[in-house]
Amino acid sequence: MAIYGFSIVIPLLALIVMFVLLSRFDLEEKLPQMRQEIADRKEKGCISSFEQA
């Protein structure tokens, strides 16, 4: 019976943890900052582009 109890509790805990982590990550606020950082790194030559000319 204990094994079946854990099979219900662990996915619920994982769901709660994922919800908390995703709710703290505000994509609308962070996405423009990420794009700007990537553009800055490309200008410095730190990131090579996979696009073929």
Side-chain angles (χ1 to χ4, degrees):
M1 189 65 174
I3 294 172
Y4 296 117
F6 282 119
S7 68
I8 294 171
V9 172
I10 292 174
L12 287 176
L13 288 175
L15 182 67
I16 292 169
V17 168
M18 286 189 295
F19 177 75
V20 169
L21 290 176
L22 289 174
S23 66
R24 293 182 52 98
F25 187 76
D26 187 12
L27 192 59
E28 291 180 6
E29 177 184 329
K30 304 227 178 186
L31 189 60
Q33 294 172 356
M34 285 185 221
R35 287 184 177 161
Q36 183 62 39
E37 184 177 341
I38 291 170
D40 292 342
R41 289 183 183 186
K42 280 185 180 179
E43 287 177 6
K44 291 179 184 177
C46 296
I47 297 176
S48 62
S49 178
F50 291 108
E51 300 171 0
Q52 295 181 2

